[in-house]
Amino acid sequence: MDIVDKVTNEDYKYGFETQIETELFPKGISEDIVRMISKKKNEPEWMLEFRLEAFRYWKTQEMPHWAHLSIPEIDYQDIYYYAAPKSESSKNPDDVDPELLKTFDKLGIPLSEQKMLSGMAVDAVMDSVSVKTTQQEALAELGIIFCSIGEAIKNYPELVKKYLGTVVNYTDNFFAALNSAVFSDGTFVYIPKGVRCPMELSTYFRINAKGSGQFERTLIVVDDDSYVSYLEGCSAPMRDENQLHAAIVELVALENSEIKYSTVQNWYPGDKEGKGGIYNFVTKRALCKGTNSKVSWTQVETGSAITWKYPSCVLMGDNSVGEFYSVAVTNNFQQADTGTKMIHIGKNTRSRIVSKGISAGQSQNSYRGLVKVTANAENARNFSQCDSLLLGDRCGAHTFPYMEINNETAVVEHEATTSKISEDQVFYCNQRGIKTEDAIGLIVGGYAKEVINKLPMEFAVEAKNLLSVSLEGSVG
Amino acid sequence: MLLEIKDLHAIIKSNGKEILKGINLTVNSGEVHAIMGPNGSGKSTLSSVLAGHPAYEVTGGEVIFNGKNLLELSPEDRSHEGLFLSFQYPVEIPGVSMTNFMRAAVNEHRAYKGEEALSASEFLKLMKSRSEYVELDSKLAGRAVNEGFSGGEKKRNEIFQMAMLEPKLSILDETDSGLDIDALRIVAGGVNKLKNADNASIVITHYQRLLDYIVPDFVHILYKGKIVKTAGKELALELEEKGYDWIKKELGE
């Protein structure tokens, strides 16, 4: 029996749990809990008001069911909305609990000064709090702000007030309202005018506490003529229960600026029988506010039991560009409904969508995308390509493209393909001496190449490995 | 003895149809064997079965390759042991560059022999030198496996892979089909350059033409799942002249 457990669980490398004392608020959500979170974080009055308004709205809403997902009933009163490693209170950079450092080391995210990766700054978030943010001083010299959202609310209230909730309003959807009420930590980035951020900024999200939900909030503002590349990673322990992760990410790109946002999503996907795993219900949206601004989303989605996620671009500035590159893998009983929205408002705006779905086992994988061209968006251009790759014959791949075109000058193209990894492709590799698992890795890597190549180099390799691991045992 | 096939029977798994009905064949190092026969006689099935294609099931007989029971080995281990199949229809693997594909293959072969993986520069050097065997463009390295290759390029690519892996036994499954005379000469030239006293080839073909370039020591006629006649290279000429009908007559059909 042990051997069976070992083999079936081996695939998910990050499923360990850190033994650390955790401070928990009582389970459930109420105005009191919202006030407690705000108080715990020493927030100003306006922030508490922001939360309460969102909470009151959330109470009037019901969970959406339009996605091609079968989501079991979620008891929102049975979740811890605040969980924090106890030693965090001091948050002295040199005084992080060694147990936490060890955890992030194990995840391949070294936080100590000696081991820090050069060319990369990291904000490490466990459960509801940011435990450490690296490279802050070096970045501050350029006027770049890179800190937890909690610190930003305290230290840069004007900036946060100006942009928070402007891209994703709490009324946007059920999970956005929930997040706006109870969000705990997350990352804030501000790149001042005319600065090209010299290193990759990244946040690593880790869920550790049992029964908790993670509600992180990320806000990235890139001022005129600036550039940043940002990467997000995540993982969670293996548990039989389902844990909720409902995040909001807002990006604001001002004139001539560019944001590259990459995600390697590796939340625990549940076991082979579909037990446990993270519910990943996330709202990510970018506002290309300035003329000539550009936002590029790249995502490699391999984890989570259920994914509900549509990183989108509102192309408001003239000549602005939105891109969405996605590889979404589902195996066993995973479900994903993911895609993007490209909203063309400014003139000469362009968008490009490349979505590669890979379904295996008995999973369901859907692409859902909206291309909207408003009446004044002269000369809008969109190209969408949605490919699905099926492994085996018990999984499903679905494509739901929507188009709303209200301007005659728009040119919108959509291509879609569905293919299977054939026995002959695998045999061809075998005949050259390549093992089946490595063959699948090669074939899937080739299929996803266009997207993987958009990732920062260090992560492209990791993402490739992750793809093969996620599909282990799915053929044959 | 490099390869010994004894009374080999095999069926198509999906419909249970028996295709190989008792094949006997012995191949020694240094030899070239040609297998000819009409369509549907089991030539390609024989090569697929030897390479371990999962669509077929062996129902009887045995195959000793290099002193080992071939039928017990996985397809990749048959490759590691030195069996190479030049496919009649090489498959395309979109997005996977020839470099990455061959590097994975070569390094798996090295690992099997307990050798260290080649460094990137050593590997590229090897690739360059071996691609010259079949006059393949160096741009090939960056192209995806067989994707967008012409028929001739695909076949040259097969022989290039053979040159990279240096097999003990190469099975060339209708490598001449779809080739014009220049391509045929290049492909055959590559095969001949790789020939030595320690390796052997089985050449499956419909036409005598290829055997003008790759000269066989033995010609076998495969008919209805059995080898019904074996002779020297002159048998191929005879077949070219008379067709297969006289064989059928000889067999009393």
Side-chain angles (χ1 to χ4, degrees):
Chain A
M1 203 52 212
D2 275 1
I3 293 172
V4 175
D5 277 349
K6 191 170 171 284
V7 171
T8 49
N9 291 334
E10 220 165 28
D11 304 356
Y12 192 71
K13 270 200 300 186
Y14 310 99
F16 64 90
E17 183 176 341
T18 306
Q19 295 305 327
I20 194 162
E21 249 193 289
T22 302
E23 179 187 1
L24 291 169
F25 281 8
K27 267 189 180 172
I29 182 169
S30 62
E31 271 205 31
D32 282 348
I33 291 287
V34 174
R35 284 175 195 279
M36 276 170 80
I37 291 170
S38 187
K39 192 169 174 217
K40 181 79 197 172
K41 296 190 166 284
N42 289 319
E43 287 176 354
E45 191 58 27
W46 63 267
M47 200 61 241
L48 175 62
E49 282 310 314
F50 179 100
R51 289 176 182 278
L52 288 173
E53 212 177 316
F55 177 66
R56 286 167 197 148
Y57 178 77
W58 179 74
K59 279 202 300 187
T60 68
Q61 297 297 301
E62 274 177 31
M63 214 172 114
H65 286 289
W66 45 260
H68 189 77
L69 298 170
S70 121
I71 307 171
E73 201 62 42
I74 297 171
D75 182 354
Y76 289 92
Q77 297 304 342
D78 193 33
I79 294 171
Y80 292 112
Y81 287 85
Y82 184 87
K86 261 203 175 140
S87 54
E88 181 271 341
S89 47
S90 64
K91 215 203 166 186
N92 179 338
D94 305 315
D95 193 22
V96 180
D97 189 309
E99 206 49 46
L100 289 178
L101 291 182
K102 248 200 269 171
T103 299
F104 283 95
D105 256 353
K106 233 168 141 177
L107 296 167
I109 316 288
L111 297 175
S112 55
E113 300 296 329
Q114 311 89 314
K115 289 195 209 151
M116 249 165 14
L117 302 168
S118 60
M120 187 164 98
V122 184
D123 184 19
V125 176
M126 189 188 278
D127 296 327
S128 304
V129 292
S130 162
V131 295
K132 183 168 170 121
T133 312
T134 67
Q135 310 269 22
Q136 278 177 307
E137 291 93 36
L139 292 166
E141 280 173 26
L142 296 164
I144 295 171
I145 303 168
F146 177 53
C147 63
S148 73
I149 194 94
E151 284 171 79
I153 291 165
K154 262 176 259 161
N155 302 333
Y156 312 99
E158 291 315 310
L159 269 176
V160 176
K161 238 193 224 172
K162 188 170 172 189
Y163 293 107
L164 190 75
T166 60
V167 186
V168 180
N169 190 273
Y170 67 85
T171 57
D172 192 85
N173 66 70
F174 180 83
F175 299 111
L178 178 64
N179 175 287
S180 300
V182 299
F183 75 84
S184 34
D185 238 333
T187 305
F188 176 74
V189 175
Y190 174 75
I191 313 287
K193 281 183 186 166
V195 173
R196 197 181 160 84
C197 185
M199 57 180 100
E200 301 282 340
L201 303 186
S202 96
T203 305
Y204 196 90
F205 294 100
R206 175 77 178 167
I207 293 178
N208 190 56
K210 202 169 160 90
S212 67
Q214 192 176 53
F215 305 91
E216 96 254 6
R217 183 105 194 183
T218 295
L219 173 61
I220 298 177
V221 180
V222 177
D223 216 322
D224 300 348
D225 308 303
S226 297
Y227 166 86
V228 70
S229 170
Y230 175 90
L231 189 119
E232 169 202 279
C234 41
S235 63
M238 288 190 283
R239 295 213 172 96
D240 284 350
E241 61 172 10
N242 294 107
Q243 285 181 277
L244 178 62
H245 172 256
I248 291 181
V249 174
E250 296 178 281
L251 311 183
V252 181
L254 301 179
E255 264 180 49
N256 301 313
S257 70
E258 182 177 350
I259 303 175
K260 219 172 121 62
Y261 190 107
S262 313
T263 305
V264 176
Q265 189 265 101
N266 188 23
W267 294 115
Y268 177 53
D271 69 10
K272 307 274 187 239
E273 273 74 49
K275 205 169 182 199
I278 302 291
Y279 293 161
N280 190 35
F281 302 152
V282 172
T283 307
K284 292 183 167 180
R285 196 171 303 151
L287 178 61
C288 288
K289 200 172 183 181
T291 50
N292 304 315
S293 56
K294 178 176 176 184
V295 169
S296 221
W297 297 100
T298 305
Q299 60 171 20
V300 174
E301 302 277 316
T302 59
S304 299
I306 304 178
T307 297
W308 182 97
K309 179 182 171 191
Y310 316 91
S312 302
C313 295
V314 179
L315 302 170
M316 205 161 95
D318 290 347
N319 312 318
S320 59
V321 177
E323 294 177 334
F324 173 75
Y325 296 98
S326 168
V327 176
V329 182
T330 53
N331 196 0
N332 301 316
F333 288 88
Q334 281 177 278
Q335 306 176 61
D337 192 299
T338 183
T340 185
K341 291 191 273 188
M342 293 290 176
I343 316 291
H344 293 256
I345 298 170
K347 294 181 176 58
N348 308 314
T349 48
R350 282 177 292 143
S351 62
R352 183 178 171 82
I353 298 170
V354 177
S355 161
K356 305 264 182 182
I358 302 167
S359 335
Q362 300 183 49
S363 67
Q364 295 293 330
N365 198 332
S366 303
Y367 167 81
R368 186 183 302 278
L370 169 68
V371 176
K372 183 172 177 172
V373 177
T374 59
N376 297 325
E378 297 289 319
N379 300 316
R381 296 281 179 278
N382 163 266
F383 173 75
S384 303
Q385 186 184 335
C386 303
D387 297 332
S388 308
L389 185 68
L390 298 166
L391 281 79
D393 50 16
R394 289 185 302 167
C395 51
H398 316 272
T399 306
F400 304 99
Y402 305 86
M403 284 179 201
E404 286 176 36
I405 314 296
N406 298 307
N407 184 305
E408 284 181 352
T409 61
V411 179
V412 176
E413 291 172 77
H414 182 93
E415 285 176 13
T417 66
T418 302
S419 51
K420 277 187 127 175
I421 290 189
S422 69
E423 195 175 59
D424 283 336
Q425 282 175 324
V426 174
F427 180 65
Y428 191 77
C429 295
N430 289 159
Q431 211 303 305
R432 301 307 186 239
I434 301 167
K435 286 194 289 283
T436 298
E437 271 170 15
D438 297 338
I440 301 283
L442 267 178
I443 295 166
V444 167
Y447 167 78
K449 189 158 116 184
E450 193 181 347
V451 174
I452 302 278
N453 283 350
K454 298 283 172 187
L455 287 174
M457 228 214 322
E458 305 87 319
F459 296 98
V461 177
E462 191 198 321
K464 250 187 179 170
N465 292 339
L466 199 54
L467 285 185
S468 345
V469 170
S470 303
L471 290 169
E472 233 163 62
S474 59
V475 166
Chain B
M1 206 158 16
L2 183 59
L3 176 78
E4 188 175 23
I5 305 175
K6 284 193 248 175
D7 196 27
L8 182 65
H9 290 255
I11 59 169
I12 301 175
K13 264 187 204 166
S14 61
N15 61 12
K17 194 177 171 204
E18 187 174 54
I19 306 291
L20 303 184
K21 300 172 180 174
I23 302 269
N24 291 289
L25 179 67
T26 299
V27 177
N28 294 300
S29 296
E31 293 175 352
V32 175
H33 291 247
I35 296 182
M36 304 183 77
N39 288 329
S41 57
K43 302 188 297 295
S44 287
T45 299
L46 176 61
S47 60
S48 292
V49 167
L50 291 178
H53 195 290
Y56 302 95
E57 187 182 328
V58 172
T59 50
E62 64 172 334
V63 181
I64 306 298
F65 176 59
N66 218 12
K68 292 197 170 146
N69 181 349
L70 185 79
L71 302 176
E72 277 179 359
L73 300 175
S74 65
E76 57 270 29
D77 280 347
R78 298 182 195 197
S79 169
H80 298 147
E81 285 290 334
L83 185 127
F84 181 90
L85 173 60
S86 169
F87 286 75
Q88 184 179 1
Y89 303 108
V91 298
E92 301 187 358
I93 309 179
V96 178
S97 73
M98 270 310 293
T99 308
N100 280 345
F101 178 71
M102 270 336 283
R103 200 164 175 206
V106 167
N107 285 335
E108 294 249 15
H109 275 252
R110 294 180 65 89
Y112 188 79
K113 285 184 250 169
E115 295 168 359
E116 268 181 46
L118 288 179
S119 72
S121 70
E122 287 169 324
F123 175 77
L124 291 173
K125 218 184 275 173
L126 181 70
M127 242 180 95
K128 191 164 183 293
S129 75
R130 297 298 153 92
S131 60
E132 284 163 9
Y133 278 63
V134 280
E135 301 172 30
L136 260 184
D137 198 300
S138 57
K139 283 194 208 98
L140 163 107
R143 287 171 65 182
V145 179
N146 292 320
E147 198 185 29
F149 283 35
S150 70
E153 278 176 325
K154 280 184 184 170
K155 295 300 173 73
R156 272 149 69 182
N157 192 23
E158 293 294 289
I159 305 305
F160 158 69
Q161 294 176 47
M162 176 177 152
M164 290 293 287
L165 298 174
E166 299 181 316
K168 293 197 184 80
L169 177 68
S170 312
I171 303 169
L172 309 181
D173 189 4
E174 299 203 21
T175 298
D176 51 340
S177 68
L179 290 187
D180 62 36
I181 199 75
D182 292 328
L184 184 70
R185 200 178 291 136
I186 293 169
V187 164
V191 173
N192 286 332
K193 272 179 230 163
L194 291 165
K195 185 174 188 270
N196 63 40
D198 297 321
N199 63 25
S201 310
I202 296 175
V203 181
I204 293 172
T205 182
H206 274 292
Y207 305 105
Q208 148 66 22
R209 195 176 68 159
L210 176 66
L211 304 179
D212 286 340
Y213 297 96
I214 303 171
V215 181
D217 301 297
F218 302 94
V219 175
H220 310 275
I221 296 173
L222 187 62
Y223 181 62
K224 290 191 174 170
K226 280 184 175 176
I227 288 176
V228 294
K229 197 172 180 70
T230 295
K233 62 182 177 198
E234 67 286 349
L235 180 59
L237 290 166
E238 205 174 342
L239 274 179
E240 184 93 341
E241 200 179 308
K242 301 189 197 162
Y244 288 105
D245 281 350
W246 65 278
I247 296 287
K248 291 179 191 169
K249 259 179 218 150
E250 255 186 31
L251 292 170
E253 288 189 7

